[in-house]
Amino acid sequence: MQLSDLYRQHVAEMGRRTINALEHTGYEHLLIASGVETCSFLDDRSYPFRANPHFLSWAPLDHHPSSWIVVTPGNKPILIYFQPTDYWHAPPAAPSGDWTECFDVRVIREAAHAAAHFPQKLSNAAIIGDVSAALDGVVPNNPTPLLNRLHMARTRKTPYELALLRHASARGVRGHRAAEAAFRSGASEHQIHLAYCSATDHTDAQLPYENIVALNANSAVLHYHHTPGPSPEHLLSFLIDAGAQVSGYACDITRTYSAHSGAFAELIHAVDEKQRLLVDQMRAGTDYRDLHLNCHHYIGQVLHATGLVDMSPEGQVEREITSVFFPHGLGHFLGIQVHDVAGLQRDEDGGAIPRPPGHPFLRLTRRLEAGNVVTVEPGLYFIPMLLEKLRAGKDARCINWGAVDALSPYGGIRIEDDVLVTDSAPENLTRNAFAEA
Ligand code: GLY
Ligand code: MN
Ligand code: MN
């Protein structure tokens, strides 16, 4: 089916979800602000604009500040499209394309004119947006019960969203391949980043998150952000966590490479094997918390098998030794937001499903359902500040410090794929994209 047909179906589904949420929460209208462009303090330079994800879930308009969507059951959704007369900047082009047929489009030249297109009586309207989008006394109220319903619905991707997520994966993989080639040719972190942006055809501001491009020990910094500088004298390893987006839908991919064969290359291979095992466990009905705990056992197995830790995997998990080497969660929901909504939400009415004790950074605690898109991102790092604590504690004697110290200059390993949960075998969006590249 063509993307335009999938989009039409998607908007129809968005309408059904919205009517359901309005009915259950007693509102008559839903207004969604795209957001406003904001300048830094005492300056006329604006921050990069990031659209309200609720706005993006309706329309493929990721750089359209001061626009609105108005949904009233029984009426065609209204898109208030801000197209200023502005010769200092390039304003958005006039709305065009098949997607416009899904809306009653009203073009405005002044942001304040949006109010003329709002329903006359707004006392019973849900208004989603940042407070900065407030207009003429119309202030976003972001009702939690309504947001809970919309967020829970967003965990089940529509066929249109899946098509965009597959496109985003293909786009990201183009960047990852260029980045690996740049690494192999001895490029610096910044040069690798530029090769990535060029291959994905993204500016920095369009990336769904800041690229993590780390050589050697820098790859032990979980959210490392490079600055321009020379490449290291001795190239050991490369970790890249970088995404791409299509109409606001993201991929989130990490790969780790060794500059040469040896213990670190073998460790990458071992983590990669466990990562594939975990991907295969992304099945409807499975509690993601159990998969996260399985991952800890797998990391314990790798640490034991490679002689880094002389303790059973079970013992390592119990003594929280695996958390020293793998101190983040196994993954999260993915969609419009890279860390997409409702990862901990109990059900449509809200509430939270707790994280397992001792795992404060897990972002997904739900039982998986068909239509969920999740990341699977086990890691194994040599993080000095965590290793120092281990070295000072009573489990220090179980650690092969010679091997740990020899591997520490390599930093760490993370392997991250984006996976669609289905009613049968999971679909690995990332590995499929690499295979097709
Ligand atoms: N790129 C951020 C993450 O993997 O969650
Ligand atoms: Mn991720
Ligand atoms: Mn990532």
Side-chain angles (χ1 to χ4, degrees):
M1 202 184 281
Q2 297 241 323
L3 195 61
S4 53
D5 295 322
L6 293 177
Y7 178 70
R8 253 187 291 279
Q9 287 180 0
H10 171 78
V11 172
E13 172 63 14
M14 290 300 296
R16 285 189 289 274
R17 291 175 180 183
T18 301
I19 289 170
N20 172 292
L22 291 172
E23 277 175 359
H24 273 89
T25 52
Y27 292 95
E28 287 170 41
H29 311 279
L30 174 64
L31 273 65
I32 306 173
S34 67
V36 293
E37 206 146 38
T38 311
C39 285
S40 55
F41 184 55
L42 297 180
D43 205 346
D44 59 1
R45 287 183 65 203
S46 61
Y47 292 107
F49 174 74
R50 301 215 174 103
N52 174 354
H54 285 272
F55 184 85
L56 269 178
S57 69
W58 276 90
L61 303 174
D62 60 355
H63 198 86
H64 293 71
S66 300
S67 294
W68 294 76
I69 284 169
V70 180
V71 188
T72 302
N75 296 350
K76 195 171 190 178
I78 297 171
L79 170 65
I80 304 168
Y81 189 100
F82 178 51
Q83 192 195 23
T85 310
D86 176 0
Y87 56 83
W88 290 96
H89 308 96
S96 68
D98 290 341
W99 65 268
T100 56
E101 292 164 18
C102 296
F103 295 96
D104 172 358
V105 182
R106 321 264 179 95
V107 175
I108 53 170
R109 305 288 175 204
E110 304 276 344
H113 293 171
H117 301 276
F118 292 161
Q120 287 199 329
K121 198 171 132 270
L122 281 174
S123 54
N124 210 12
I127 306 167
I128 302 180
D130 186 77
V131 285
S132 57
L135 200 65
D136 231 3
V138 178
V139 182
N141 51 9
N142 297 309
T144 303
L146 179 117
L147 287 176
N148 284 338
R149 285 188 174 260
L150 295 178
H151 286 172
M152 190 52 77
R154 264 174 57 190
T155 68
R156 293 179 284 269
K157 269 45 183 184
T158 65
Y160 165 76
E161 292 178 304
L162 293 175
L164 294 184
L165 287 165
R166 290 187 191 102
H167 286 313
S169 297
R171 191 171 192 173
V173 161
R174 285 199 289 279
H176 274 264
R177 284 161 57 90
E180 186 194 354
F183 159 66
R184 301 276 180 216
S185 71
S188 69
E189 290 170 342
H190 190 56
Q191 288 164 341
I192 297 171
H193 166 74
L194 294 176
Y196 183 93
C197 289
S198 170
T200 52
D201 214 9
H202 272 323
T203 63
D204 275 79
Q206 288 173 324
L207 293 168
Y209 55 92
E210 269 185 86
N211 277 355
I212 298 168
V213 174
L215 295 171
N216 296 358
N218 292 339
S219 57
V221 180
L222 298 181
H223 283 172
Y224 173 75
H225 293 138
H226 73 276
T227 47
S231 33
E233 209 173 313
H234 299 292
L235 211 51
L236 301 172
S237 61
F238 171 42
L239 183 152
I240 173 164
D241 182 345
Q245 52 106 355
V246 174
S247 297
Y249 286 81
C251 70
D252 178 8
I253 302 173
T254 310
R255 287 294 181 267
T256 310
Y257 305 96
S258 181
H260 53 75
S261 57
F264 190 71
E266 284 161 25
L267 209 50
I268 293 175
H269 181 71
V271 174
D272 188 70
E273 275 192 337
K274 300 302 187 194
Q275 196 268 0
R276 288 168 192 257
L277 281 179
L278 287 158
V279 167
D280 195 51
Q281 293 166 25
M282 298 295 142
R283 305 266 173 164
T286 308
D287 189 325
Y288 195 87
R289 292 176 297 183
D290 292 338
L291 302 176
H292 172 79
L293 296 175
N294 288 353
C295 184
H296 273 268
H297 284 270
Y298 289 153
I299 295 299
Q301 288 170 11
V302 171
L303 292 168
H304 188 253
T306 52
L308 286 162
V309 179
D310 183 19
M311 188 188 287
S312 71
E314 294 69 33
Q316 291 181 54
V317 174
E318 200 187 303
R319 302 286 309 148
E320 298 186 357
I321 292 173
T322 53
S323 297
V324 172
F325 294 92
F326 172 46
H328 58 74
L330 175 60
H332 48 86
F333 281 142
L334 176 72
I336 294 175
Q337 282 157 275
V338 176
H339 297 154
D340 215 6
V341 286
L344 278 71
Q345 196 175 313
R346 190 191 57 228
D347 55 32
E348 289 185 317
D349 293 320
I353 302 173
R355 300 179 171 99
H359 297 268
F361 302 116
L362 186 58
R363 295 179 194 270
L364 177 49
T365 56
R366 290 187 50 76
R367 211 170 266 287
L368 296 175
E369 292 177 71
N372 291 166
V373 174
V374 300
T375 69
V376 183
E377 47 183 306
L380 198 167
Y381 312 85
F382 301 95
I383 301 174
M385 72 179 82
L386 299 182
L387 290 172
E388 287 323 308
K389 264 174 87 183
L390 184 61
R391 213 187 284 263
K394 59 176 187 270
D395 292 321
R397 61 195 162 74
C398 301
I399 311 299
N400 180 346
W401 289 108
V404 166
D405 292 340
L407 284 165
S408 290
Y410 292 78
I413 298 164
R414 178 162 67 256
I415 296 168
E416 176 176 27
D417 288 345
D418 306 337
V419 176
L420 166 64
V421 180
T422 75
D423 284 319
S424 54
E427 177 185 328
N428 190 323
L429 309 182
T430 307
R431 295 210 190 230
N432 287 354
F434 270 106
E436 280 163 26

